[in-house]
Amino acid sequence: MVLRVDTDKSSHGTLSNYLHHVKDVHFQAQSNQDVPFEQLVERLQPLRSSAYTPLFQIVLTTDADFSGMQELTVGNIPGVDFQHLETEDIRLKFDLEVNIGLAKDGGQIRWLYDLGLFGEDSIALLDKHLCHYLHTWAELENTSTELDADLHSLSMMDAAQQQEVLTVLNGETTPYPQTGIHQLLDIQVKTRPDACAVVCGDEVLSYAQLDQRAKQLALYLLEHHQLRADTLVGICLDRSCDMVVAMLAILKAGAAYVPLDPGYPRQRLAYMVEDTELELIISNKAYKQLAQTFSVEVVLADDMQLSHYRVAQEMPLPRVTPDALAYVIYTSGSTGTPKGVMIEHRGLVNTVVDSVGQLEVNAESYFYQSTAFGFDAASWVIWMSLSQGATLMLSTTIDYNSELNSASGKQVTHLMMTPSALQLLNPQAVSYTHLTLPTKRI
């Protein structure tokens, strides 16, 4: 019989409701057991494959012998000695077969599994979890209080396993700032205002200059576009100081940014603009024509007069909470339609703080960033660098070897590259002693 049991805990609530559900499904299946399996497959027309059986791939069987009749029958035949015939020839019809044998003195569980799908360690863990469940249920008293227990309160792990997962494997709990990612830069602006923040070609911004330009743009966006918390603003810029200013400004205004890499196919960009329901895009003169094809208001970062906001720099900016959106990044879409992933400040701050410690990034670091803006790690590296007062060097070319051999490049201590790009890097171009390639991969 094929039993379609709903194992979603939220659908049942209590253990009693779940057991009643299983009982009802079983009774319904019993009443229809005369229906040939082939007819059921023909009517349902599931996706067929020679790699697995249709409709189900897991089989559970039970073999109960509480009377001991088998032993009596065997023992009552004179002159006949019965022995189990063991064979190594195991024929498996399904991905996983679980047989539970029950008797007066206990029971045993026999697992048959496809070695191409399961390993011995995985099956051993499944066995341990199932046995723990059965043991826990066996100890429950047949009272309404026990049976009305929340399913979420029944753990498949024993106390020792829970302790290992929550403490040993998880490591020590490290506190991190409960704030917006951009607010970590405020410390650097106050303590190291003249330190170099961003380098892109011949353009250099100190932390004070970066903060000033971002504040001015943030005030402009608040005044002219009435941004609110979690408002999404597109950034259609290549790697540049304007790109970093736009990112910081949008966050200071309490909104969230959506990277729109100009190098992406127009169809992909159009989908992202429509999916996020953007009403505003920050771009520049070079990509003005591209940005305006999306029928969304466009602000040109290199064609705005913001100097009059200089006097109003002390105007209060919106307060950003840790659960507010920081940005939305889209997956590659290699398995279908690209999906937007919403990144909150809390998660970004947590990741950045941990990575800073892992990669030993500090105020003396010089970080080379060459990944595309639409790649999630690009934002991650930018905030990791700026939050620590380090210098962020943005790549302006795909000729990484020559750029890393320049005066600025020779100050690089960390670099972020995809493995394929890293393979193209000439070791001689980074043979100087100032460069350290992190052993921990990003």
Side-chain angles (χ1 to χ4, degrees):
M1 292 185 298
V2 181
L3 304 181
R4 186 175 182 178
V5 179
D6 183 3
T7 57
D8 185 359
K9 291 182 178 181
S10 61
S11 300
H12 309 288
T14 66
L15 175 59
S16 177
N17 291 340
Y18 177 67
L19 293 178
H20 277 97
H21 168 68
V22 174
K23 182 178 179 181
D24 291 342
V25 170
H26 187 76
F27 281 165
Q28 292 175 29
Q30 289 283 2
S31 64
N32 294 283
Q33 61 178 316
D34 295 333
V35 178
F37 180 70
E38 293 76 10
Q39 182 180 342
L40 185 62
V41 174
E42 183 180 353
R43 290 289 299 274
L44 295 177
Q45 295 185 349
L47 183 65
R48 303 299 295 272
S49 172
S50 59
Y52 52 82
T53 58
L55 296 185
F56 67 95
Q57 292 81 46
I58 299 176
V59 174
L60 171 67
T61 59
T62 57
D63 181 13
D65 178 29
F66 295 106
S67 63
M69 290 299 293
Q70 290 183 1
E71 293 183 9
L72 290 174
T73 303
V74 172
N76 286 339
I77 302 178
V80 179
D81 182 22
F82 287 90
Q83 295 181 350
H84 289 288
L85 177 62
E86 300 291 343
T87 176
E88 296 182 356
D89 184 19
I90 300 177
R91 298 184 180 276
L92 187 67
K93 295 182 179 180
F94 308 96
D95 293 348
L96 181 63
E97 296 182 23
V98 186
N99 176 259
I100 302 179
L102 301 174
K104 284 184 177 180
D105 57 349
Q108 64 178 4
I109 303 176
R110 185 167 180 259
W111 299 79
L112 292 177
Y113 55 92
D114 187 341
L115 291 172
L117 299 175
F118 301 96
E120 184 177 350
D121 292 341
S122 300
I123 296 297
L125 188 60
L126 286 174
D127 181 73
K128 187 174 184 178
H129 290 164
L130 178 57
C131 289
H132 179 69
Y133 259 134
L134 295 175
H135 181 74
T136 302
W137 287 14
E139 291 186 337
L140 292 177
E141 298 180 7
N142 189 17
T143 63
S144 58
T145 302
E146 294 282 7
L147 292 178
D148 287 339
D150 190 337
L151 279 176
H152 290 87
S153 66
L154 301 175
S155 174
M156 65 182 181
M157 295 185 290
D158 56 30
Q161 281 184 296
Q162 293 185 46
Q163 176 71 11
E164 181 182 11
V165 171
L166 296 175
T167 58
V168 178
L169 297 181
N170 236 359
E172 297 181 1
T173 301
T174 303
Y176 62 94
Q178 297 297 310
T179 183
I181 185 68
H182 61 287
Q183 292 169 307
L184 298 181
L185 274 71
D186 294 342
I187 300 175
Q188 309 302 331
V189 174
K190 293 178 180 179
T191 59
R192 310 178 68 248
D194 297 327
C196 181
V198 185
V199 176
C200 186
D202 296 331
E203 188 175 8
V204 178
L205 287 180
S206 66
Y207 275 90
Q209 291 170 330
L210 174 62
D211 184 66
Q212 176 179 308
R213 286 180 54 177
K215 279 184 177 179
Q216 290 173 333
L217 180 54
L219 292 171
Y220 168 84
L221 294 174
L222 288 169
E223 180 179 344
H224 294 277
H225 299 280
Q226 294 76 48
L227 299 188
R228 301 178 303 277
D230 293 347
T231 298
L232 298 179
V233 180
I235 301 179
C236 187
L237 294 167
D238 51 11
R239 282 188 300 272
S240 61
C241 290
D242 283 340
M243 180 193 75
V244 179
V245 170
M247 294 169 62
L248 183 56
I250 291 170
L251 297 186
K252 283 180 176 291
Y257 62 87
V258 180
L260 301 173
D261 192 324
Y264 280 166
R266 186 195 172 283
Q267 184 177 2
R268 174 182 169 91
L269 293 175
Y271 169 78
M272 294 164 60
V273 171
E274 180 181 2
D275 190 52
T276 52
E277 299 180 352
L278 293 182
E279 297 181 358
L280 178 66
I281 295 176
I282 298 178
S283 187
N284 58 15
K285 295 177 182 178
Y287 300 110
K288 175 182 177 181
Q289 186 174 358
L290 172 64
Q292 289 180 337
T293 61
F294 304 123
S295 301
V296 174
E297 186 170 357
V298 177
V299 172
L300 302 181
D302 55 355
D303 192 30
M304 288 190 293
Q305 298 298 323
L306 302 176
S307 58
H308 62 283
Y309 286 104
R310 188 183 304 273
V311 180
Q313 285 189 69
E314 300 305 321
M315 288 178 58
L317 293 169
R319 179 177 176 272
V320 175
T321 59
D323 59 350
L325 279 182
Y327 63 92
V328 173
I329 198 77
Y330 274 78
T331 61
S332 64
S334 57
T335 58
T337 304
K339 299 174 179 61
V341 181
M342 298 184 292
I343 307 298
E344 296 181 348
H345 282 271
R346 176 185 286 109
L348 181 56
V349 171
N350 186 7
T351 300
V352 165
V353 170
D354 177 69
S355 300
V356 162
Q358 294 286 339
L359 300 179
E360 301 177 356
V361 179
N362 54 48
E364 303 303 318
S365 300
Y366 209 99
F367 220 123
Y368 184 69
Q369 204 279 78
S370 62
T371 53
F373 181 38
F375 184 37
D376 188 37
S379 286
W380 174 67
V381 167
I382 290 171
W383 297 120
M384 180 169 56
S385 177
L386 297 179
S387 66
Q388 301 306 304
T391 299
L392 175 68
M393 180 180 178
L394 300 175
S395 172
T396 61
T397 176
I398 60 173
D399 185 5
Y400 308 129
N401 293 307
S402 62
E403 195 161 50
L404 288 170
N405 258 328
S406 67
S408 296
K410 289 188 176 182
Q411 301 180 61
V412 170
T413 60
H414 298 71
L415 57 81
M416 167 63 193
M417 285 184 175
T418 60
S420 57
L422 192 61
Q423 290 179 350
L424 300 176
L425 202 60
N426 185 352
Q428 295 180 352
V430 292
S431 59
Y432 42 87
T433 57
H434 291 89
L435 179 62
T436 301
L437 296 177
T439 57
K440 299 181 181 66
R441 289 192 175 183
I442 298 174

